[in-house]
Amino acid sequence: MATVSVFGLDASGKTSLLMRLSGGRRDDGRYEVLGCCHITYRTSYWLRFYDIGGDAKIRGIWGNYYADAHCFIYVVNMNDTSRLEESASLFKSVLNDPRMSNKPCLV
C-alpha cells in the first residue's frame, strides 16, 4: 500500500478532492483535522491518503507525515488570491524538508 499525504491551507479543497477521488460527496459542512481515506485501483493496488488539516494552529503536525509518504499532493485554492503567497511559502517549506526529497508531488 502506498501512502499519499495531502497538504494545503485550510479551505483549500483537500477533503473535497479526496471525496471526489473516492466517489463520495461532502455535504455535511464538517471539516477534518486529519482524515484517512483508502482507495483501491484495479482491485489490486491500495492507496492510503492522509487528509491533513491546513489550519495555522495545526500545521506543526505536517512533519509527522513526511517520512512515511511515498508521494504528496499540495492543494491550492486559486480563488483565494489573498492567500496565494502564504500557500506558496508553505509549499516551499514542504519541498525543502529533507524527508520529502525526491518524492513525487502533484499540485
Side-chain angles (χ1 to χ4, degrees), residues 26-64:
R26 184 134 188 119
D27 293 328
D28 60 10
R30 293 181 302 151
Y31 300 95
E32 300 294 333
V33 171
L34 173 66
C36 183
C37 176
H38 292 95
I39 300 175
T40 307
Y41 288 99
R42 295 188 184 148
T43 67
S44 63
Y45 195 76
W46 283 84
L47 295 176
R48 175 185 297 137
F49 289 87
Y50 285 112
D51 180 2
I52 303 166
D55 187 84
K57 295 176 185 174
I58 60 167
R59 290 182 201 147
I61 69 168
W62 285 14
N64 298 334

Side-chain angles (χ1 to χ4, degrees), residues 79-92:
N79 289 320
D80 191 359
T81 57
S82 66
R83 298 183 76 193
L84 289 178
E85 286 186 35
E86 179 185 8
S87 186
S89 175
L90 286 170
F91 179 59
K92 288 177 189 174

Side-chain angles (χ1 to χ4, degrees), residues 14-35:
K14 299 176 300 293
T15 302
S16 296
L17 170 68
L18 292 179
M19 292 302 290
R20 286 286 194 186
L21 288 174
S22 67
R25 289 184 50 173
R26 184 134 188 119
D27 293 328
D28 60 10
R30 293 181 302 151
Y31 300 95
E32 300 294 333
V33 171
L34 173 66

